[in-house]
């Protein structure tokens, strides 16, 4: 019997489409095909692989509006953000189409006249990806593009909340001429497919974007077959506003980094740390900006903040706000809800909390929602201590025009991505990834192709 799951519009709770659940046997067959396809795809010359990825990028651009509409329907983000995400995805395809041609080896001087030493790079094999619902296109593109560019084949399991965007992307890859078995998708329950992926001897690498607990499980389960892993996991980003910061600019940038995708990104500012001498002024400016945000269906013109993806996500955010209020936080704006469990939609209006303290759950756990908790600091040392007091180490932001303050913060913050007067540092040409429990490895930039390559060293003797 064929089984299906339903894709639901989180802004209305309405049914969009049913998607077939692949059986265990079908997934194993897809993995075998990916493994077989590696034998030919890895031998296609880099310039031709580059041309095909570039063609894929063109196809995606031609279909930009349609993809963005699918994305907004299944994810809920405003259409303008979905259009932006398609462009962001294309930037990964374009970057790695170029990088395919720059996979260099080297020669090493030997310690005797009778030897020559060469080092070459080879694709590692079939790569399995598990991608999240919050960026259904971009997170897939930044894994698939370097994998294919390196000469690996690729199989992805998109999130069950948002499979349609990724499926459309892969159909376009096939239309562009990338062989069907070189890039495939499978659908179904995450834990089951995760186990099939990690158990398979044909899969040589797992790349995952999602929660830290699931990432740890995938790493453990990959140990028996010694797979390569890239993990882009949770975050709890601090955003520091120094005493000298341009507060108008900082307030606007904070709104951007906090509320995009309704706060449902791994790099969203999760803790706003403001110097005590400017906290009132900053909060006033910040709240004035937050007031301008419109909450609603992402397909409607003028919407800035869409729904929360599902009830579980909603409950967690509501609980964090409640806990903060019970422990003395002051609501400056928000704490307003528009949710219907029967119909299946969950909106939270952008919320700003003041007088937040470190014992509140919002200061310890990732929120993944449109809530900005503000706390204060007296010295830079204290700001660093507060910022680093988390197991996570993905992104951190700070606002200052003093080069000494900026340099000090850069040097002391334990985070993989730093935005100095920049609320939007993500870019295809730069390495994205976290320290500590935020993950392993980097995606993007010249670093992003390396995890798909093996190094082979050869010593030739007898000269
Ligand atoms: C993420 O939230 O995982 C990715 C966000 C980004 O690429 O900016």
């Amino acid at each position: 019997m064929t089984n299906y799951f339903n894709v639901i519009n989180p802004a209305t709770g309405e049914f969009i489409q049913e998607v077939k659940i692949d059986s265990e046997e079908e997934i194993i067959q897809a993995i075998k095909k990916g493994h077989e396809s590696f034998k030919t795809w890895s031998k296609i010359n880099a310039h031709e692989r580059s041309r095909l990825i570039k063609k894929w990028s063109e196809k995606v651009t031609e279909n930009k509006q349609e993809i963005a509409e699918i994305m907004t329907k299944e994810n809920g983000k405003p259409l303008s953000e979905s259009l932006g995400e398609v462009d962001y995805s294309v930037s990964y395809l374009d970057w790695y189409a170029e990088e395919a041609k720059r996979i260099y080896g080297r020669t090493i001087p030997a310690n005797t006249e009778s030897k020559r030493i060469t080092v070459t790079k080879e694709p590692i094999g079939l790569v399995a990806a598990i991608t999240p619902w919050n960026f259904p296109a971009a997170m897939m593109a930044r894994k698939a593009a370097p994998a294919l560019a390196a000469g690996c084949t690729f199989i992805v399991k998109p999130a069950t909340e948002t499979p349609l965007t990724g499926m459309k992307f892969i159909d376009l890859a096939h239309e562009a001429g990338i062989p069907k078995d070189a890039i495939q998708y499978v659908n179904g329950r995450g834990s089951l497919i995760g186990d099939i992926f990690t158990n398979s001897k044909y899969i040589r690498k797992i790349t995952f974007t999602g929660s830290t607990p699931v990432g740890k499980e995938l790493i453990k389960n990959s140990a028996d077959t010694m797979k390569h892993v890239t993990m882009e996991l949770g975050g709890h980003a601090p955003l520091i506003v120094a005493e000298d910061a341009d507060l108008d600019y900082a307030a606007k940038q904070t709104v951007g980094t906090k509320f995009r995708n309704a706060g449902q990104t791994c790099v969203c500012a999760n803790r706003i740390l403001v110097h005590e001498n400017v906290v009132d002024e900053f909060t006033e400016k910040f709240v004035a900006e937050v007031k301008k945000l419109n909450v609603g269906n992402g397909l409607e013109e003028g919407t800035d903040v869409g729904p929360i993806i599902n009830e579980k996500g909603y409950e967690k955010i509501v609980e964090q706000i409640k806990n903060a209020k019970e422990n003395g936080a002051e609501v400056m704006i928000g704490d307003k809800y528009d949710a219907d469990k029967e119909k299946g939609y969950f909106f939270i209006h952008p919320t700003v909390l003041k007088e937040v303290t470190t014992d509140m759950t919002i200061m310890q756990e990732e929120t993944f929602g449109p809530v900005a908790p503000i706390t204060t600091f007296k010295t830079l040392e204290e700001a660093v201590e507060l910022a680093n007091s988390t197991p996570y180490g993905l992104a951190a932001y700070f606002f200052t025009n003093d080069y000494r303050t900026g340099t000090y913060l850069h040097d002391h913050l334990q985070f993989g991505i730093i935005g100095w007067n920049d609320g939007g540092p993500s870019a295809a040409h730069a390495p994205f990834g976290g320290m500590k429990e935020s993950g392993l490895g980097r995606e993007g930039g010249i670093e992003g192709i390396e995890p798909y390559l093996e190094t082979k060293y050869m010593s030739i003797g007898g000269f």
Side-chain angles (χ1 to χ4, degrees):
M1 195 184 75
T2 309
N3 287 322
Y4 293 87
F5 65 89
N6 291 343
V7 184
I8 301 294
N9 182 337
T12 59
E14 282 160 12
F15 167 80
I16 306 174
Q17 191 179 312
E18 62 180 12
V19 170
K20 182 178 152 311
I21 298 175
D22 292 300
S23 68
E24 188 165 344
E25 190 43 43
E26 284 168 327
I27 296 167
I28 290 169
Q29 281 311 318
I31 291 171
K32 283 196 182 137
K33 284 185 194 164
H35 170 68
E36 280 306 309
S37 175
F38 176 72
K39 294 174 189 163
T40 44
W41 177 254
S42 59
K43 297 291 176 247
I44 292 175
N45 79 70
H47 290 256
E48 177 61 5
R49 291 201 304 271
S50 168
R51 193 190 64 77
L52 288 167
I53 298 169
K54 188 73 195 131
K55 187 99 191 106
W56 182 17
S57 145
E58 285 159 16
K59 290 267 172 208
V60 170
T61 304
E62 282 163 24
N63 289 272
K64 179 172 165 176
Q65 187 69 25
E66 186 192 339
I67 299 171
E69 282 171 18
I70 295 173
M71 198 188 304
T72 291
K73 276 192 197 138
E74 64 178 357
N75 167 283
K77 65 176 72 180
L79 189 61
S80 57
E81 285 191 32
S82 296
L83 288 164
E85 186 178 335
V86 179
D87 288 341
Y88 184 40
S89 311
V90 163
S91 70
Y92 281 100
L93 302 185
D94 289 348
W95 175 264
Y96 286 108
E98 289 302 316
E99 287 300 284
K101 297 179 274 183
R102 301 195 181 103
I103 299 169
Y104 302 124
R106 70 190 203 275
T107 59
I108 299 175
N111 58 356
T112 154
E113 291 69 29
S114 65
K115 285 191 180 186
R116 298 281 184 278
I117 296 174
T118 64
V119 179
T120 48
K121 296 282 181 180
E122 292 183 0
I124 62 178
L126 172 61
V127 172
I130 302 177
T131 53
W133 50 263
N134 64 341
F135 289 92
M139 298 304 100
M140 208 260 294
R142 81 174 175 203
K143 297 175 191 320
L148 292 172
C152 297
T153 47
F154 186 82
I155 182 164
V156 59
K157 188 214 104 58
T160 43
E161 292 85 350
T162 57
L164 306 176
T165 308
M167 288 158 69
K168 176 76 189 170
F169 247 72
I170 290 178
D171 291 345
L172 291 170
H174 297 151
E175 265 183 43
I178 299 175
K180 278 213 151 29
D181 295 342
I183 177 162
Q184 308 175 77
Y185 60 78
V186 288
N187 280 306
R189 195 154 52 80
S191 54
L192 178 80
I193 299 183
D195 284 347
I196 299 173
F197 281 172
T198 49
N199 288 335
S200 169
K201 66 174 194 266
Y202 295 122
I203 290 173
R204 292 308 314 137
K205 178 182 175 74
I206 301 274
T207 170
F208 171 67
T209 297
S211 76
T212 295
V214 174
K216 287 181 182 177
E217 204 56 31
L218 288 168
I219 296 171
K220 279 186 209 150
N221 296 344
S222 296
D224 280 346
T225 47
M226 203 63 85
K227 293 188 203 323
H228 297 248
V229 291
T230 295
M231 296 285 147
E232 203 264 90
L233 308 176
H236 202 226
L239 182 149
I240 299 170
V241 180
E243 194 176 3
D244 75 291
D246 175 340
L247 298 183
D248 290 304
Y249 178 76
K252 285 198 175 87
Q253 289 277 312
T254 307
V255 168
T257 175
K258 175 65 254 185
F259 296 108
R260 81 174 163 126
N261 207 3
Q264 302 172 106
T265 91
C266 306
V267 291
C268 271
N270 214 118
R271 297 168 290 151
I272 320 286
L273 319 177
V274 187
H275 191 278
E276 60 177 8
N277 291 346
V278 293
V279 70
D280 290 338
E281 201 185 338
F282 171 79
T283 307
E284 194 184 312
K285 289 175 189 293
F286 181 49
V287 169
E289 291 299 326
V290 174
K291 240 183 219 149
K292 296 179 193 163
L293 299 174
N294 295 314
V295 178
N297 185 330
L299 285 177
E300 281 161 19
E301 184 114 10
T303 295
D304 303 299
V305 178
I308 303 305
I309 192 73
N310 55 31
E311 185 174 354
K312 192 165 164 238
Y314 172 81
E315 294 295 353
K316 182 182 180 192
I317 304 160
V318 171
E319 203 40 56
Q320 287 193 359
I321 298 174
K322 190 165 155 265
N323 170 276
K325 284 195 322 190
E326 281 167 4
N327 287 287
E330 193 185 332
V331 178
M332 306 304 293
I333 187 170
D335 190 20
K336 257 180 71 191
Y337 308 88
D338 179 12
D340 189 324
K341 285 190 189 187
E342 289 298 304
K343 293 201 171 121
Y345 60 79
F346 305 90
F347 290 89
I348 298 181
H349 287 247
T351 299
V352 179
L353 303 172
K354 223 179 131 184
E355 309 296 344
V356 170
T357 50
T358 49
D359 52 327
M360 299 174 186
T361 50
I362 200 158
M363 292 297 275
Q364 292 154 17
E365 292 172 8
E366 191 174 30
T367 303
F368 241 64
V371 190
I374 300 179
T375 191
T376 57
F377 65 89
K378 282 188 185 28
T379 64
L380 282 184
E381 290 75 12
E382 192 193 346
V384 166
E385 179 79 24
L386 272 170
N388 287 342
S389 63
T390 166
Y392 297 111
L394 187 55
Y397 307 87
F398 53 79
F399 290 87
T400 176
N401 289 326
D402 183 326
Y403 74 91
R404 288 159 302 194
T405 303
T407 308
Y408 177 85
L409 290 172
H410 167 267
D411 292 353
H412 289 83
L413 289 172
Q414 296 160 349
F415 294 83
I417 304 160
I418 303 280
W420 177 351
N421 290 341
D422 185 1
S426 309
H429 43 274
F432 186 107
M435 297 180 182
K436 292 156 67 181
E437 293 193 23
S438 285
L440 289 174
R442 295 294 182 269
E443 296 184 308
I446 52 171
E447 288 84 353
I449 198 163
E450 198 56 42
Y452 297 93
L453 296 165
E454 285 281 16
T455 298
K456 188 181 269 179
Y457 144 62
M458 178 167 66
S459 176
I460 313 170
F463 284 95

